[in-house]
Amino acid sequence: MAEHHPHWPLEEKTSSVLSSSSSRVTDDTTATRPPDRHRRRRLLSCRRRPVETVVCAPRIAESAKHRQLSQSNPSKPSKWQTLNSHSSHSQPPQKKEKKKLRFQKGKGFRRNQDEPVAWEVLSPLSPAQFSHGKQNYIRTTKYTIASFIPLFLYSQFHRFYNIYFLLGALSTIYPSAALSPLSQITPLLTVLFFAALKDIIEDYARYRSDSAANSQIKTVIRDGSVVQVKAQDLVKGDLIRVEKNEKLSVDAIIVSCAHEDGTCFIETAELDGETNLKRRSAIPALTHYQALEDVIRINLHIQCEQPNENLLSFEGRAKYTVTSAQRARADRRKSFFEAEKHEDTRREGQIVDGPGVVPLSLTNLFLRGSVLRNTEYAWAAVVYTGSDTKIIMNMKKPPQKESRLMRYLNWFVMGVFIYNLVILFLSATLKYFDYQGVVNTNNRWYLYGGYTDSLIVSFFGGLFAYFGAYTYCIPISLFVMVEMDRLAQGYFMLWDQKMATLREPAATAPPGEEPELVQMKANNTNLNEDLAAIEYIFSDKTGTLTRNEMVLAKWYLDGIVYDDMAQPGSFGQALRSGNISAKQKQQMTLFYRNLVLCHGVIPSYSEVSQKLVYESQSPDETALVDAIARSQIILTNRSKSNVTFTIPDVNGNPVPQVFEVLHTLEFNSDRKRMSVIIKDKETGKYHIYCKGADNIILERLSKDPSVNSPQVVDDAINALHGFSVTGLRTLCITYRELDDALYAHFKDEFEAAETALVDRDLKMAAACEKVEHDLTLLGCTAIEDRLQDEVPETIAFLMKAGIKVWLLTGDKQETAINIGQSSKLIQPGMVVFKLNSKTVPECGQLLDDLQRQMDANAGNEGNGYTLVVDGLSLGHVFAGKHEQKMVAVGVRCRSVICCRVTPLQKSMVVNMVKLGLNKMCLAIGDGANDVPMIMSAHVGVGIMGREGTQAVRSSDYAFAEFRFLKRLLVVHGRYSSMRLSNMMLYSFYKNLAFITVQVLFGFYSTWCGALIYEEFFMTWFNLFYTSLPPLLLGIFEKDVSDEVAEKYPQLYMQCRDGLYWNWTLFVGVLLDSIWHSLAVFFGMYFAIGDSDIGTNGRGIGYWMLCFIASNVIVLVVISKICLITHHWVWLTWFMLGFSAIIFVGGAIIIESIGYGSVTGTYLESYSCPTFWILLPIITAMCVIPSIAVMYARRTIWPSDADIAVENMKLNKKTGAEEAEIEMAEVSPAFRNSA
């Protein structure tokens, strides 16, 4: 009995759920239907297909369950035993009879009554369907005019601090409140106004973009004639004409185009970021219907999957019929396939073509946002409109990433809020006891005469009296300043010329085009400060560490290595030399045919240079076609089914050769191989040419020694190993001759799979397994992708800064290790551990062994460890729940290299470290396969390569070269963290000092709610008087220069460890604010006493006291910011002077309008000697202790930044060598610096 493969299930799933993300259609019939012969053959053929355990672990359990059930009743063989027994026979498979598609009223065309159809489109449409509203209308705006106010307020008051300030404003309605409602609500309204203005500007830009897209004029056939309609009025079933260079506004099936073979080309940069052209094909049977009078005769009934966001797959089928011209003219208002018309439309002569059924796939689909290129026009039937189109369904907001500093800030705000509650209840309680004493003793009759409120009313009156005033503990302007500072840092990144590079023009660019300046992009400035806290970096290799400029380096064929870099065209020279045997020539012919036929490269001629250029989604394929062209085997043309190339004859003249490609078995990340099937015109035999990754191809080679000699295979493996250790990317080249019966069987199953609406991908993969085995090895190729500039230096610096780098690559292990050594991931003296497991239990055992070995070597690690993991072992880690063991080993390694990983595994590795260690992670990559890990990491960085922008669009930051990552982290990240931290701490300091003076005033004002500041001053304190200096502190502050930050990695380490944001600083802020408030209040109290005498002979009254207190507190907090500022620019000086002008001008304006203070208060205060004596004395009392503390800290406990500053000063006075020696003596942290 043939034994089934353990990695494949022997039973269909009991249910299939329709999902937009998986692009599957429900098929309940598979629950009870026994597997047909095609299913059996697919199961048996899958024995040759290697499947990683991580993917198939659940299916192993299912298979085990079936075996257990069958063993429980041995007398009655199960259907699975019957299946295996039948499969053991060598009888040829019987061809399954195809069921015809039959029309069922109300259900359309189906093979059986239960067959589901998710989405149906009929074309042409009746006039009544043209007016079904704006089906293709697009709205990406967040608001409408009617919904703006409620939605905006809802979003704003989801934030705790806005609710807090709103409650403070509402508290002023109480009669005993210290502030008026206007003065309390003004700051909140100001903040909301600027937030609303920002949202309006952003939403209006989206509205204009939507209007432009909806108003585009499109050409469509309606009622048998061509009309022009707006894009928003297109409906499902419309037949549209797309012109060259026109952008699609719908998802549509291609009916025909200007090319006779139905081939057209599109650019999908707006969808996937790929700038190269992609081939699309029209419905094969309708390609010759190109003229308008022919197109209107076409009737379509399209059945396809439900609208979904999957841009990489599409499954469906189309029933078509072409009617006579007479019938098309007589009745063109309804589709031939409408139920009420179907019964009487089969009269002789009405149908001239069809009916027929064709499969539909992604190659037949125009997607919204794609642009028609290199094709004059195309006709297409609309299937998805508006919000049903794939690009619109993909317009989902990326996951909201919040910086760690903002989470800390939320806790800090909560602490300040608790402080606010403490002083609030303290004030209310003291007011309660003070009022209780008045009631009991009846003293102070002049204040409380006739006051009869209860004690409880008095207590709550105190709460409302001070609640509004004490909301100033939290600076309302802080959150606006944070956003403005982040925006400014983003512009600094954009303007940084040291992170910009000049990129040479592409090969297709016009002659004389200037190099392009590629600048950095900051897509998400909310994470600026997190750049200074990175502990783990996950990096792709190709295009990230390397240039992604593939050049074929070497060929290997029949034991000979051809060095194409040293001698370009060496393969072609050997082929035409005449010094090779007939067998060798035959093998070389098959080899170059594989390279020139098996690919997705599109040859085209540049409109400017008129030179032949190649475009492909894969730079590896382009490199191979370019290399074979250097051997004078030149790909010249490619259509849907034919490939044309030239090869020189004996006289050197190019001779065209045309091959018909019958089937293309596409490459994907699961298959890791590509195949084409062609029919040799000379011999009439079928050949399959296959190329792919060596670990996939080698196990599919024929085991027959007469086909693949063991010595030949071993030599090829050795050559592959030699290429890999030098860092080259390898591919295996194979072919196989197919007999007619095998090809016919494959064709039937493949075509049936193409028209399936359920599990089409799985069925096509199973069909491919029928022919992609027993292959003959022809040779292999080695492609070089050089490292980018300064990659080793950048990685070495990052590792010295305490950052651990994980390399996640799809290359084989030897190639990855070589890249690790050349990029300094693996440094001299490092111990390299390899995790290569064959089973899940073995993986767990190996991880345990590694931990024990590391424990035994504790203290003798040398330069540290590097762990190298292959893709199969990584699958075992996740399948066996060994993530904790993997993290425990990885955290003790300075670098980790994961090989042969899939995009999903990249994301899983990032999540494993991010969630397992709770460490700040950064992921960097350049391609669409890197998007999952970029989205999963705390910070995502994209490399702006030539071939696409998907990674850039999904990233938080993007630049052109990997070396810029160093400057992004140690300069911009460190500056952002330091600036925001200093600005936040200072903002809380000034508000705590400001409000604590008010608390102290309550002890001497019988807690009656009187303010020590003028009311408008309290309102403007945060908005105008003290907001500009801290704003500039958060924009321009720096403690060391850029050069110093990039020189010493220890500066980054200290910043990441909390040098600028820690509990010691919080306590210092609290103590500073308390001391300064005590100095301000008691300085005034002891200087003025009960009342000093003013210049007019009267005592200093309440309004003069308010004015003096306002001046003193502003001068103190401004002196404090001058003390902590290291980097002064002219704008800093200007803003300090401007703040002083606003303060004085505000006092004059307040008094001139007669609000609050008595006329002449500011003049009287400025004329009073006490005022001028108090200002410098109180300021000195506040500043001198701060200076003493700062001096002691920098002298006794200096940070590396302090030492670096001193080092710069020493460099100016003495030689650099003496300065380094001096600093090494002071700070051990610098002894190991670069």
Side-chain angles (χ1 to χ4, degrees), residues 130 217-230 233-234 238-241 292 379:
F130 299 154
I217 302 300
K218 301 297 179 181
T219 304
V220 60
I221 295 179
R222 288 185 175 176
D223 200 16
S225 59
V226 176
V227 296
Q228 303 287 326
V229 300
K230 291 184 177 181
D233 296 324
L234 293 176
D238 268 335
L239 197 60
I240 61 173
R241 179 184 171 101
L292 173 62
W379 295 99

Side-chain angles (χ1 to χ4, degrees), residues 409-562:
L409 176 62
N410 291 335
W411 285 106
F412 194 42
V413 169
M414 190 60 65
V416 175
F417 177 69
I418 293 173
Y419 173 80
N420 185 355
L421 293 180
V422 169
I423 61 175
L424 177 61
F425 278 92
L426 175 65
S427 301
T429 303
L430 291 176
K431 176 179 176 60
Y432 170 84
F433 285 115
D434 185 82
Y435 181 64
Q436 185 182 42
V438 172
V439 172
N440 293 336
T441 61
N442 199 27
N443 61 358
R444 303 181 191 170
W445 53 267
Y446 53 88
L447 293 178
Y448 290 96
Y451 196 66
T452 58
D453 284 346
S454 66
L455 296 177
I456 298 299
V457 173
S458 176
F459 175 78
F460 283 100
L463 285 180
F464 283 104
Y466 285 106
F467 184 79
Y470 289 171
T471 56
Y472 287 90
C473 285
I474 301 176
I476 191 172
S477 60
L478 171 64
F479 306 98
V480 178
M481 290 193 297
V482 167
E483 297 302 323
M484 295 178 68
D485 286 345
R486 285 173 168 173
L487 182 62
Q489 300 306 319
Y491 278 108
F492 286 158
M493 297 176 188
L494 174 65
W495 296 332
D496 190 351
Q497 294 302 308
K498 293 183 178 180
M499 296 187 68
T501 185
L502 286 176
R503 176 174 293 164
E504 295 299 325
T508 56
E513 181 173 331
E514 296 294 329
E516 175 191 8
L517 179 65
V518 182
Q519 295 178 294
M520 182 191 165
K521 295 181 180 179
N523 300 327
N524 185 5
T525 57
N526 291 335
L527 304 178
N528 290 348
E529 55 272 20
D530 275 353
L531 294 171
I534 301 300
E535 297 185 63
Y536 284 84
I537 291 177
F538 300 88
S539 175
D540 177 44
K541 181 188 79 74
T542 304
T544 304
L545 300 182
T546 61
R547 299 177 183 270
N548 201 20
E549 297 175 357
M550 308 298 182
V551 178
L552 186 125
K554 297 179 181 179
W555 315 87
Y556 175 81
L557 183 67
D558 196 23
I560 302 175
V561 176
Y562 299 94

